[in-house]
Amino acid sequence: MVHLNEKQKTAVNEYGNVFVSAPPGSGKTRTLIARAEKKLENYDKPVALITYTNAAADEMRNRIDSEKKIFVGTIHKFCLEYILRPFGWLYDWENLKVISFDDKKEIKEEIKIRFGSKIQYRFFDNVRKKLNGEIDLSNIDYSFEIADFYFDYLRKNELVDFNEILYRAYKILDDNQFIRISLARKFTEILVDEFQDINYFQYEIIKLLDKDKLCSFFMVGDFRQSIMRFAGAIDLEFEEIESDFNCRIIQLNKTYRSTDNIVDSYTSLFNNHPEIDNRSEYNDLNIKLYIKSCNSSCRCKKCYDYCKNNVNIIEDILDSLLEEGIEESEIAILSPWRNDAKKIGDKLAGKFNIVGPYVLPHSVKGIKSTSAFQLIKSLSKYFVKSSVSNLRNIKAAIENYLLENNISIKQEKINLLTKNLLITLFENENVKIIKALKNIESEFNRHFGVSQQEFDEIINKIELNGKERLIFSKYLKILSGIDGIFNQTIYAAKGLEFDAVILNRIDEGRIPHWTASSKKEFDDGRKLFYVGLSRAKRYLAVIHAYDESRFISEVRN
């Protein structure tokens, strides 16, 4: 553990439950992995490493140096694999499948016919139950009757969504002590990344698994980077975690990412920010933050057109960075809203090599969280960079796809599936996009025996946008999100870092959101800006309209 500092070593070696508070660039992933490897080295039982996203799981999986059994994945995958699949039979839940894009389309149509209401895809993220099984209407704009119809549809068709996975997993653990005990005994330790973004059900599931003190918990997070409250993340304090888990709190205080100017910029947003010891190789590189107004007077809520000055400023910054020798893959343009990312991506894609979901020839609304689309994305990353780690991530994506669709096959067939999918991928690299997608869809159908409506939706949207002439290899490069200038939302960039970051449209009304009225909601904007600023290593630009975000003055001072 020579690569760890003293605080990190303390966290890795501490006995029992531990919560690590990790500010940006403090090596929390390194600490998390070192802890997992130490447990694997010293104990025979496996460990579980629960991540917030599939992308984070891919990174962790590639960095762990151990041949021993370890689970790496999201809480939903953990609940499916270790709770619902083996114990769902107790409630007649053994044939469950995760809701597909096709199911969602059918439900939307049924609700429109029955209730005369048009629901958005965000409905499927927000509709959920309480711990007691009652429908929770606090996060949705729809009636009890619509939500009740939805859950009845899931029940009749033996389906679950991500929220329902958590509810049913909680119910199984809460009702059945023997399951809770057997699962806790299975692992030496359960490690949880991005703990600040955990939702109520996830928190209660972890508390249940800790109830009998049969395995330890190692939790890592930073409350100043808690930006997912809109998605159900709960407000937590150190005292609450310390009490509920009887754990030691360890505060990391060294950062290894950014210049002093950048560290000063994001720490200035919080009066009570702990003192940071900057050990970055760039710490004394005196590059000033670039804060620039495009002088647009448009208000964010009504802004449907895009300011030419804003585009010109970002073009000039990109030209300067590329002339200085910064690699495209080390540059990110991050926006507070999806529409902002889409608009700036559309404007810049003709001149620069822009990658990411918001410059694709189709939207990802409704399909981005499906296991089929995640598998396509894994394939695209291998296409761009054919490495052992990316190959491993394809196999993990296939396993996740099989798990969600309740398909059971042997490991040998997974290896064959991987090989055949890659052959098809490379055979179609110079084919026009629609034909290539249809060929890949046929390969999916042949191997999985499950309807792939995501492909049809993508093809329909491409035809609608008139992008049929795009070559498949170009599509894969954009989809991969690598080897190009990364264009995304600030939310999606959490956990990432780049040599140069351009924060786009940091306007009042965007950060904080124009509907913000309470202190918590204004703090949400402050935290989002904090996350955006702290992604940068050397170069940081903040572009805003005439009505700049209130938080910019704090950074400027």
Side-chain angles (χ1 to χ4, degrees):
M1 290 193 295
V2 292
H3 61 293
L4 299 179
N5 63 42
E6 290 307 310
K7 283 285 186 72
Q8 291 169 337
K9 287 178 182 177
T10 299
V12 169
N13 292 320
E14 181 68 19
Y15 179 78
N17 291 350
V18 180
F19 179 86
V20 177
S21 179
S26 60
K28 62 103 173 171
T29 301
R30 183 189 308 157
T31 307
L32 199 67
I33 289 170
R35 174 82 175 198
E37 289 176 346
K38 182 180 175 66
K39 292 293 181 181
L40 289 169
E41 181 183 338
N42 294 332
Y43 297 91
D44 292 330
K45 291 193 292 186
V47 301
L49 205 170
I50 295 174
T51 62
Y52 190 75
T53 64
N54 288 313
D58 289 346
E59 181 190 358
M60 299 285 187
R61 194 181 301 111
N62 295 334
R63 289 175 61 174
I64 291 173
D65 184 21
S66 177
E67 297 300 319
K68 290 188 178 180
K69 172 71 174 174
I70 179 170
F71 169 88
V72 183
T74 63
I75 185 72
H76 303 96
K77 182 179 179 182
F78 179 85
C79 290
L80 269 177
E81 186 168 333
Y82 292 108
I83 305 174
L84 262 67
R85 290 285 182 249
F87 301 110
W89 60 271
L90 289 168
Y91 299 83
D92 197 24
W93 294 341
E94 62 264 41
N95 296 315
L96 294 175
K97 293 183 181 180
V98 175
I99 189 170
S100 69
F101 178 77
D102 194 32
D103 295 318
K104 290 178 181 179
K105 284 183 71 174
E106 186 173 325
I107 289 168
K108 286 182 70 176
E109 287 300 315
E110 281 287 323
I111 288 174
K112 186 176 180 181
I113 293 168
R114 291 185 179 216
F115 302 98
S117 298
K118 188 176 181 181
I119 64 168
Q120 305 299 320
Y121 279 110
R122 65 174 178 269
F123 169 86
F124 300 99
D125 297 324
N126 294 333
V127 63
R128 64 193 70 186
K129 292 176 182 173
K130 300 177 183 178
L131 287 177
N132 62 7
E134 295 177 359
I135 295 173
D136 183 358
L137 294 175
S138 61
N139 286 318
I140 58 175
D141 302 323
Y142 307 100
S143 67
F144 171 84
E145 288 74 21
I146 289 177
D148 188 51
F149 164 79
Y150 173 70
F151 285 114
D152 190 51
Y153 183 98
L154 294 184
R155 181 183 57 79
K156 289 178 179 176
N157 291 278
E158 297 184 305
L159 298 171
V160 286
D161 61 15
F162 290 145
N163 290 320
E164 188 70 0
I165 288 171
L166 298 178
Y167 164 70
R168 296 192 187 195
Y170 169 81
K171 181 170 178 57
I172 289 172
L173 293 179
D174 192 43
D175 288 352
N176 302 277
Q177 184 185 22
F178 81 95
I179 295 175
R180 188 174 70 236
I181 289 174
S182 66
L183 182 54
R185 279 183 174 156
K186 184 178 183 66
F187 298 101
T188 298
E189 182 162 272
I190 297 175
L191 304 95
V192 187
D193 191 20
E194 303 287 6
F195 201 80
Q196 78 278 353
D197 289 327
I198 201 167
N199 70 27
Y200 187 50
F201 267 106
Q202 293 166 358
Y203 192 77
E204 292 300 319
I205 287 169
I206 292 170
K207 274 174 62 179
L208 282 173
L209 290 173
D210 183 54
K211 189 172 184 178
D212 304 290
K213 304 301 177 185
L214 296 169
C215 71
S216 55
F217 282 81
F218 189 79
M219 301 156 282
V220 179
D222 179 10
F223 295 141
R224 293 173 187 83
Q225 297 185 67
S226 176
I227 58 174
M228 305 303 291
R229 201 163 61 84
F230 73 95
I234 55 177
D235 294 317
L236 292 168
E237 301 291 342
F238 287 135
E239 295 78 11
E240 184 179 359
I241 295 172
E242 193 172 19
S243 172
D244 286 343
F245 293 95
N246 188 27
C247 63
R248 178 178 176 185
I249 307 290
I250 297 175
Q251 172 75 57
L252 302 185
N253 65 343
K254 290 181 171 65
T255 185
Y256 301 89
R257 177 178 294 163
S258 312
T259 67
D260 283 342
N261 286 337
I262 292 171
V263 173
D264 289 344
S265 75
Y266 64 74
T267 56
S268 70
L269 291 172
F270 292 92
N271 292 328
N272 62 345
H273 199 291
E275 188 174 339
I276 296 295
D277 179 7
N278 190 2
R279 298 298 182 91
S280 166
E281 61 180 302
Y282 311 119
N283 62 346
D284 58 354
L285 197 62
N286 190 22
I287 302 174
K288 299 295 183 185
L289 273 65
Y290 183 71
I291 302 176
K292 180 75 173 177
S293 171
C294 66
N295 293 319
S296 168
S297 60
C298 60
R299 295 285 174 173
C300 57
K301 188 182 175 184
K302 301 289 186 183
C303 182
Y304 299 109
D305 200 8
Y306 220 74
C307 169
K308 287 183 180 178
N309 287 346
N310 184 80
V311 176
N312 291 339
I313 289 168
I314 294 178
E315 281 185 348
D316 289 344
I317 295 171
L318 292 176
D319 284 335
S320 297
L321 291 171
L322 294 171
E323 284 174 14
E324 194 160 330
I326 307 298
E327 294 182 12
E328 290 177 330
S329 59
E330 283 295 330
I331 302 172
I333 304 167
L334 306 178
S335 305
W337 292 2
R338 285 183 304 231
N339 281 347
D340 293 325
K342 173 98 178 110
K343 288 173 183 175
I344 196 67
D346 287 344
K347 294 291 183 181
L348 297 174
K351 181 176 179 181
F352 300 97
N353 179 25
I354 308 291
V355 297
Y358 300 113
V359 285
L360 287 171
H362 61 84
S363 75
V364 295
K365 191 181 293 183
I367 62 171
K368 65 180 179 180
S369 62
T370 63
S371 55
F373 189 69
Q374 291 300 318
L375 177 49
I376 299 169
K377 198 170 181 181
S378 294
L379 290 166
S380 74
K381 289 183 177 181
Y382 184 85
F383 176 83
V384 176
K385 285 190 175 179
S386 52
S387 63
V388 173
S389 59
N390 280 338
L391 182 61
R392 190 183 299 125
N393 292 336
I394 290 172
K395 291 183 179 179
I398 290 175
E399 288 170 357
N400 194 44
Y401 178 93
L402 297 171
L403 183 68
E404 290 191 12
N405 287 282
N406 201 22
I407 302 170
S408 179
I409 61 174
K410 293 181 179 180
Q411 186 62 46
E412 296 79 25
K413 190 167 183 184
I414 291 178
N415 295 337
L416 180 62
L417 280 171
T418 305
K419 178 183 175 182
N420 288 347
L421 283 171
L422 287 173
I423 289 171
T424 307
L425 192 75
F426 283 98
E427 282 179 347
N428 285 272
E429 63 176 306
N430 296 316
V431 175
K432 289 181 181 177
I433 183 170
I434 289 179
K435 183 179 178 182
L437 284 170
K438 286 181 177 178
N439 290 340
I440 298 287
E441 180 182 20
S442 297
E443 195 66 22
F444 267 60
N445 291 337
R446 184 168 74 87
H447 286 297
F448 298 124
V450 178
S451 177
Q452 311 296 333
Q453 295 297 322
E454 292 88 347
F455 286 91
D456 296 333
E457 182 68 14
I458 290 171
I459 289 167
N460 290 338
K461 288 177 178 178
I462 289 170
E463 289 175 339
L464 191 65
N465 294 333
K467 303 284 187 178
E468 302 96 327
R469 297 181 66 82
L470 184 70
I471 299 300
F472 193 48
S473 58
K474 174 66 173 175
Y475 172 78
L476 292 171
K477 288 176 182 177
I478 296 170
L479 179 63
S480 71
I482 53 180
D483 274 6
I485 297 168
F486 187 69
N487 179 55
Q488 254 287 13
T489 63
I490 299 173
Y491 295 99
K494 189 158 62 71
L496 304 179
E497 60 182 23
F498 303 88
D499 269 358
V501 170
I502 302 168
L503 295 181
N504 172 47
R505 297 314 302 259
I506 308 302
D507 309 341
E508 188 72 11
R510 283 174 164 83
I511 295 182
H513 193 272
W514 62 273
T515 59
S517 57
S518 66
K519 184 180 183 305
K520 279 186 179 179
E521 289 169 331
F522 285 118
D523 283 346
D524 288 343
R526 182 183 298 276
K527 291 173 180 177
L528 187 62
F529 193 30
Y530 179 89
V531 169
L533 292 169
S534 59
R535 300 309 93 200
K537 297 179 187 176
R538 292 191 286 164
Y539 301 91
L540 177 60
V542 180
I543 315 301
H544 61 85
Y546 178 78
D547 195 7
E548 70 179 33
S549 168
R550 66 188 66 193
F551 304 125
I552 288 179
S553 61
E554 298 177 26
V555 171
R556 185 184 284 115
N557 290 338

